Amino acid sequence: MSLINKKKIISQYTARKFLSNKSFAVYGMGKTGLSVINYLKKNNNSDFTYWDDNSGKKKLYNLKNKKKKKFIESLNIVDYIIISPGISLRSLQLKKYLIKNKKKIITDIDLFYLLNSNVKSIIVTGTNGKSTTCKIIHHLLKKNKIKVLLGGNIGKPILNLKIVSDCVVVIEASSYQLAYSKFIKPSYALILNISNDHLDWHGTFKKYVKAKMKIFSNQNKNNYALINDKNVIKNFKKQKFKSKLKIVSVKSLIKVKNKIKNSFLNSKLNEENLAFVFALSKIFKIKNFSFIRSLNSFR
């Protein structure tokens, strides 16, 4: 048996062993909620309940009122409650039951980290530019012969990705997901920028910033934090996070920017995104000529 296949079998065994001893309640039956349920089924876990406030639209799972009652009862006894991105506790039918069990609430990204603790990952968050930056990073790593997958708030739900040995997973994370997160631990954590946004969901700007800063909470001294905002840097230092701080500057692009001949990336708006990608390329030891060539082929 090859080493890759052996690692794959060990990974599947670890996931199934962990899941066999846990129970779940899944709130929200959109793309993410369905991916969680399918993942649990795939790993032989049948100890879960589910609910969606728009039950009439979810014919696939036949959500009836008695199902709702069963779901409410399960919230007090399950190990974890997995909430879909964008769901706010303040606007849910069952908010009082969820608030009572708030400590159990996690996201699909948390579940990914619980089951894939050894997988290298890059989490990108920020008010603007997340999707573009994730796509550029994915493209850059792929062009430089690095096995890479892309998921999270962009494209495929994280639990739908087929993890392979020695791959890097690029994850776009929204403040909604991070607000509930407890176990995420990225190898590389990027906060692109923070400005007033989603305050109707978070309540205050302070809570919004706190959600974003969670990407650093579980990192260790071998992990990296990439930041360019002065206030975020100050906050990072104040909280004494353990990861290596890399301060990102648009000025670092001067050497390579004029050599990037790509109309998709030459706008002023993309300078910040490219500065983060360039800083990350240095950590991955990607040469400047490879960086330029890769970005010239990005679409």
Side-chain angles (χ1 to χ4, degrees), residues 185-202:
K185 186 187 174 184
S187 312
Y188 312 89
L190 286 64
I191 292 187
L192 305 180
N193 45 63
I194 296 184
S195 58
N196 284 317
D197 199 10
H198 304 308
L199 299 192
D200 55 332
W201 195 95
H202 290 280

Side-chain angles (χ1 to χ4, degrees), residues 249-267:
S249 171
V250 172
K251 291 179 182 178
S252 66
L253 276 175
I254 291 171
K255 290 181 181 178
V256 297
K257 188 185 173 188
N258 292 333
K259 295 179 182 178
I260 299 171
K261 308 296 182 184
N262 188 332
S263 58
F264 292 98
L265 300 175
N266 282 340
S267 69

Side-chain angles (χ1 to χ4, degrees), residues 52-93:
D52 190 289
D53 287 354
N54 299 317
S55 56
K57 298 178 182 178
K58 309 295 175 185
K59 294 179 182 178
L60 181 63
Y61 284 91
N62 193 24
L63 298 170
K64 303 292 184 184
N65 282 331
K66 63 178 181 179
K67 185 75 182 179
K68 180 177 179 180
K69 185 180 177 182
K70 183 182 176 184
F71 181 79
I72 292 170
E73 290 169 354
S74 76
L75 293 177
N76 294 321
I77 57 175
V78 295
D79 294 300
Y80 295 113
I81 301 166
I82 301 181
I83 288 189
S84 292
I87 289 181
S88 171
L89 292 187
R90 293 186 294 176
S91 60
L92 293 175
Q93 283 183 20

Side-chain angles (χ1 to χ4, degrees), residues 224-241:
Y224 291 85
L226 283 73
I227 313 169
N228 72 342
D229 185 282
K230 289 180 181 178
N231 290 325
V232 178
I233 293 167
K234 186 179 178 181
N235 200 338
F236 181 92
K237 291 177 178 178
K238 185 179 178 181
Q239 294 193 51
K240 297 181 179 178
F241 291 117

Side-chain angles (χ1 to χ4, degrees), residues 98-193:
L98 288 166
I99 290 170
K100 181 184 173 184
N101 291 282
K102 197 173 180 180
K103 288 183 178 178
K104 298 179 183 179
I105 295 175
I106 63 172
T107 68
D108 60 320
I109 297 179
D110 282 309
L111 189 56
F112 168 82
Y113 276 100
L114 282 168
L115 300 170
N116 297 281
S117 58
N118 295 321
V119 174
K120 274 190 179 180
S121 62
I122 300 166
I123 285 191
V124 179
T125 193
T127 306
N128 300 301
K130 295 186 294 293
S131 296
T132 302
T133 304
C134 283
K135 288 176 183 177
I136 298 171
I137 292 170
H138 178 263
H139 180 81
L140 174 69
L141 298 184
K142 192 174 180 181
K143 285 292 180 180
N144 284 275
K145 308 284 190 264
I146 296 170
K147 286 186 278 187
V148 59
L149 300 168
L150 177 62
N153 203 45
I154 181 174
K156 286 185 179 181
I158 195 75
L159 295 177
N160 283 2
L161 298 179
K162 293 181 180 178
I163 306 301
V164 295
S165 178
D166 300 321
C167 73
V168 177
V169 182
V170 181
I171 304 167
E172 180 186 328
S174 70
S175 59
Y176 303 146
Q177 293 164 310
L178 295 173
Y180 297 128
S181 71
K182 293 178 176 65
F183 301 106
I184 63 166
K185 186 187 174 184
S187 312
Y188 312 89
L190 286 64
I191 292 187
L192 305 180
N193 45 63

